[in-house]
Amino acid sequence: MENEKKFEAIDGEALLDMDIPSTKFIIKGLLPQGLAIIAGAPKIGKSWLMLDWCVKIAKGESIWRFKTTQGTTLYLCLEDNHNRIQNRLLTITDEVTNNVYFVTSCCSLADGLEEQIRNFVKEHSDTVLIVIDTLQIVRQNSKDTSYASDYKEIETIKKIADELKIAILLVHHMRKQDDKDPLNKLSGTNGIAGGVDTIITLDKSKRSQNNATMICTGRDIEYREIELNFNKEDCTWNIISDSSENPDMLLPEEMSLLIEFMKQKRLFKGSNTEFADEFNCFCCKEISAKVLKRLMNKWRYELEDNGVYFESYRSNGKRGLSIKYYTESDDSDVKDDINECVNSFVNVDPIVPVATCNAISDDVCDYQREYEKVSE
């Protein structure tokens, strides 16, 4: 039968016996070969970070404590000019090798970018990294903003990276609205996140106003959160902590949900059980007041870094909770506000557990009734 179409299938036994090279990393543990994207708010410092990476990888120097694969790097600085690039290079380093290249203009995906990338790698066979800053500039001028359109464009670039066995890193923007899932922060549809191998987000720090949190996730790397500090003298990012070495950096899901809950609630004062009831309704969990309070006490400072402040107290023999969410724009003293809230809460009504939503099961309510009889 002519033109018979068949799968190019391989059986499991043969697959196990194949000699397949391991994943090649350009930055060990952070940036593997393939297509990656780094997204961040405007002016947060993405371009400074990319410039530093390109220079250090070309030299074969470590990036923070991560080893790099030395090779030629190409930085498409499509929002800059040669004067600005030169000034930035003079700021971050005393020496630049001749195997790091810069481009200030290029074709779009629609009119020749693929060919330009292939020709560059053909001329520089040791190329390991190409940074495109920004993705938006090289995209096709189309009114189609669907998932399929986004995915198709990303797939085109990914095929080039896979074919040439290099890393291509796209610089992109994040949405203005906050989201605890880094995949949802990328501007555009989920077709962008779905098409890349590695996603890196650079956002305002959860822990300090002067720092930034870099979240890394992907098909070939473990999820990690890296706390960075921007050095204004040489305009480089320095690592403060890494969740892979300090697992306590990662908030448990319950505390991340509590932060999201308080962003909407803003202020609560009442009993621990009442707070647990409302929290459970918000996140469709079944967490007892005792367990929730224990988690809050353990992660108190991390909650405060995220704008959530609380105080516990007793009134008429009952345990109460005053909790408030603050933003950077709030012009107030946190401790004074919390203390005022506590002092205004004179009497605590008897704690009668009420199943306020379907998320709270009878077992949870029974547990809470038993909990009322004992001290935390």
Side-chain angles (χ1 to χ4, degrees):
M1 185 176 180
E2 295 184 2
N3 298 324
E4 184 178 5
K5 294 182 179 180
K6 292 184 178 181
F7 288 117
E8 294 182 5
I10 182 173
D11 65 80
E13 183 178 4
L15 180 60
L16 288 177
D17 290 336
M18 286 181 67
D19 183 11
I20 304 176
S22 59
T23 301
K24 179 181 178 181
F25 278 84
I26 312 305
I27 305 175
K28 186 67 175 178
L30 282 186
L31 183 62
Q33 197 175 83
L35 182 60
I37 191 166
I38 178 167
K43 312 303 180 186
I44 196 172
K46 301 185 296 296
S47 295
W48 285 107
L49 182 65
M50 293 299 94
L51 182 64
D52 189 42
W53 281 13
C54 284
V55 170
K56 286 183 176 176
I57 290 170
K59 292 180 180 180
E61 296 178 352
S62 294
I63 291 176
W64 304 315
R65 60 177 67 99
F66 308 108
K67 294 182 178 179
T68 63
T69 298
Q70 184 175 13
T72 291
T73 61
L74 172 64
Y75 188 5
L76 276 61
C77 317
L78 306 179
E79 294 183 332
D80 295 319
N81 53 44
H82 289 147
N83 180 59
R84 186 178 299 139
I85 298 169
Q86 183 187 65
N87 289 334
R88 289 185 173 183
L89 283 171
L90 291 171
T91 302
I92 69 170
T93 184
D94 296 327
E95 179 186 2
V96 182
T97 57
N98 61 2
N99 63 334
V100 53
Y101 292 84
F102 302 93
V103 168
T104 57
S105 64
C106 68
C107 297
S108 70
L109 285 169
D111 59 15
L113 178 60
E114 294 179 65
E115 184 179 358
Q116 287 182 316
I117 291 175
R118 288 192 177 92
N119 286 337
F120 179 87
V121 175
K122 185 177 181 180
E123 295 172 1
H124 306 86
S125 57
D126 65 336
T127 300
V128 294
L129 172 65
I130 295 178
V131 175
I132 301 177
D133 187 356
T134 65
L135 168 63
Q136 188 60 38
I137 295 178
V138 302
R139 299 189 71 179
Q140 302 178 35
N141 292 324
S142 172
K143 295 181 180 180
D144 185 359
T145 57
S146 65
Y147 176 99
S149 176
D150 284 349
Y151 190 90
K152 185 176 181 180
E153 285 190 325
I154 295 300
E155 185 182 35
T156 299
I157 307 175
K158 175 172 166 51
K159 285 182 178 179
I160 304 173
D162 292 342
E163 172 193 328
L164 300 177
K165 294 181 172 55
I166 62 174
I168 296 180
L169 181 51
L170 308 173
V171 179
H172 195 43
H173 297 299
M174 291 199 306
R175 302 176 189 274
K176 291 183 179 180
Q177 61 265 36
D178 193 21
D179 196 300
K180 66 185 183 70
D181 187 344
L183 275 67
N184 294 334
K185 289 188 174 184
L186 303 187
S187 179
T189 71
N190 288 335
I192 294 178
V196 301
D197 300 304
T198 305
I199 298 174
I200 301 171
T201 60
L202 189 64
D203 205 354
K204 290 182 179 179
S205 175
K206 298 178 179 179
R207 306 169 189 283
S208 172
Q209 293 182 358
N210 299 321
N211 295 351
T213 299
M214 189 170 77
I215 297 178
C216 311
T217 185
R219 299 183 177 115
D220 299 306
I221 64 173
E222 295 183 3
Y223 177 92
R224 70 200 308 163
E225 294 184 12
I226 299 176
E227 193 76 4
L228 302 174
N229 175 263
F230 189 73
N231 186 328
K232 293 183 179 179
E233 292 185 5
D234 61 10
C235 294
T236 58
W237 288 97
N238 300 313
I239 190 168
I240 304 298
S241 56
D242 184 348
S243 66
S244 66
E245 299 173 358
N246 180 19
D248 286 346
M249 281 181 62
L250 298 178
L251 280 172
E253 180 188 13
E254 294 84 355
M255 295 298 94
S256 294
L257 288 170
L258 187 142
I259 294 168
E260 297 304 314
F261 171 59
M262 287 308 303
K263 285 180 179 179
Q264 296 185 26
K265 183 71 175 177
R266 305 291 296 185
L267 174 67
F268 172 88
K269 56 180 181 180
S271 70
N272 292 342
T273 302
E274 289 168 340
F275 183 73
D277 286 350
E278 291 193 29
F279 173 74
N280 283 327
C281 283
F282 170 80
C283 62
C284 293
K285 295 283 186 179
E286 297 181 356
I287 305 172
S288 71
K290 186 174 183 178
V291 171
L292 180 59
K293 191 62 183 303
R294 186 185 300 132
L295 285 169
M296 290 171 63
N297 287 332
K298 178 179 179 180
W299 297 94
R300 172 185 287 272
Y301 297 112
E302 286 74 16
L303 290 174
E304 291 182 357
D305 286 339
N306 284 276
V308 177
Y309 294 79
F310 70 92
E311 290 293 338
S312 302
Y313 57 93
R314 284 183 178 274
S315 179
N316 296 334
K318 302 294 184 180
R319 288 184 178 272
L321 175 69
S322 175
I323 181 168
K324 187 171 183 179
Y325 175 74
Y326 287 83
T327 64
E328 294 180 4
S329 61
D330 287 336
D331 185 18
S332 58
D333 185 278
V334 174
K335 290 185 178 180
D336 287 347
D337 278 6
I338 289 291
N339 289 333
E340 181 180 349
C341 188
V342 171
N343 293 333
S344 68
F345 196 79
V346 180
N347 297 311
V348 180
D349 295 331
I351 304 174
V352 179
V354 179
T356 55
C357 72
N358 293 332
I360 306 176
S361 68
D362 291 339
D363 291 340
V364 175
C365 290
D366 290 341
Y367 184 92
Q368 289 174 334
R369 292 189 186 96
E370 183 66 26
Y371 163 66
E372 294 167 16
K373 301 176 183 179
V374 297
S375 173
E376 285 187 37

